[in-house]
Amino acid sequence: MNFFKIPFLLKITLAVISIIGIGYLINLGQSILAPFFLAFLMAMLFLPVANFFEKSLKFPRSISTIVSVMMMLVILTGLIFFFGSQISSFSRDVPHLTKQFNSVFHNLQTWVSHTFNVKIDEQLDYLDQGLGKLLSSSGVILGFTFGIFSSSLGFLAFFILFFIFILNYRRILNNFIINVFNEKHKSSVQEVVSEVRIMTKRYIIGLSLQVVIVSVLTTTVLTILEVKYAILLGVLTGLLNVIPYIGICISLLISCFIAFATGTVSTCVYVALGYVIVHAIDGNIVLPFVVGSKVKINALFSFIGILVGEHLWGISGMFLCIPAIAIIKIIFERVEGLQPWGKLLGEDEKPHKKKKTYKISKNITLKEMD
């Protein structure tokens, strides 16, 4: 039975059931699928490096994989060292930030007292009760902290192993995807797989360039405004910018808080304006030019993807949902019968301007000259 000849209502029902089943399996296999998908994205990013070692330097597949893994570990170690040193420097200003926070909190207490007729002593009692309940559950807090630490180590271990396996056995995986279909579809499947691999690699590389460009722009703006920890805040903004709309808002709040705590109110306002300018440059110049409009996701499904990703995989799901939707969009646009779904995920295409025509005698049509 041909799937595309099934009645529309039954087709929608099957699609909804399939989406629910796939979502349940994705949520169930979070500890394996999340590091696997991240390893797949990083493998696509390092694929040109591995091919260069194998084709130009004549390295064996295993040696090129090991070298790629070592390069990735060096980059990750550098990022960890960078954030560690910046956070260590940031910790020196914690007393000043605490003093500023206490001042703001006291003003807030005064405003609550005058507005809602709640005395400051009663507010402090509420806070003491809340802190008492929080401290009484210290065992839960320690268990939660240990769980996060252990799960992060497990995630990193699975990620490295999957990265090695995907790079080392990429030809086997590619042949499996092609050979699993019928013989008559092999050529078209090969074409789709090749296009998806090329577009995915370009998208991941473009996304990485976008992170670098946004980090440099934000760092430049914060440095001009003489905001402390401009490099830390700039790199953090570039990384959080992977999460559309929400990431830039979170980084904006963090930067404004640091600017307000270490500077003046006017500096905080200028930081907000600078972030608006950087976001406008990123959305209108960097994203279309570097990432490409062909894999650009519209705001509606970006927001839905962030919510679904956070529900399924937590914070890692928020970062990985946009590349996942982009890959799904690429596949949909190249599979017959699924093109409308691919267009649904993308941006609205601007209609081409039709050239005006003028009719003259003897039904001769002349196009308007530009």
Side-chain angles (χ1 to χ4, degrees), residues 25 29 83 95 147 154 167 173 209 223 232 248 251 255-256 299 317:
L25 294 177
F83 279 106
L167 270 185
L173 296 174
L209 290 176
T223 303
L232 174 63
I248 193 70
S251 58
S255 298
C256 286

Side-chain angles (χ1 to χ4, degrees), residues 79-94 229 232 236:
L79 289 175
I80 294 173
F81 177 77
F82 166 76
F83 279 106
S85 60
Q86 290 291 318
I87 291 175
S88 176
S89 177
F90 171 75
S91 62
R92 300 193 197 97
D93 273 350
V94 170
Y229 314 107
L232 174 63
L236 184 63

Side-chain angles (χ1 to χ4, degrees), residues 98-151:
T98 304
K99 181 179 179 181
Q100 184 71 26
F101 176 78
N102 290 334
S103 176
V104 174
F105 183 70
H106 177 73
N107 294 333
L108 179 62
Q109 281 185 321
T110 304
W111 178 81
V112 171
S113 177
H114 287 88
T115 305
F116 300 101
N117 293 322
V118 179
K119 296 181 180 180
I120 296 179
D121 293 338
E122 295 178 358
Q123 299 177 34
L124 295 177
D125 290 337
Y126 294 149
L127 292 176
D128 290 338
Q129 293 176 5
L131 290 175
K133 293 180 181 179
L134 185 63
L135 294 175
S136 64
S137 58
S138 58
V140 177
I141 297 174
L142 292 176
F144 178 73
T145 305
F146 178 77
I148 292 177
F149 182 73
S150 60
S151 62

Side-chain angles (χ1 to χ4, degrees), residues 238-250:
L239 294 175
L240 290 177
N241 193 59
V242 177
I243 306 175
Y245 309 107
I246 296 179
I248 193 70
C249 292
I250 294 175

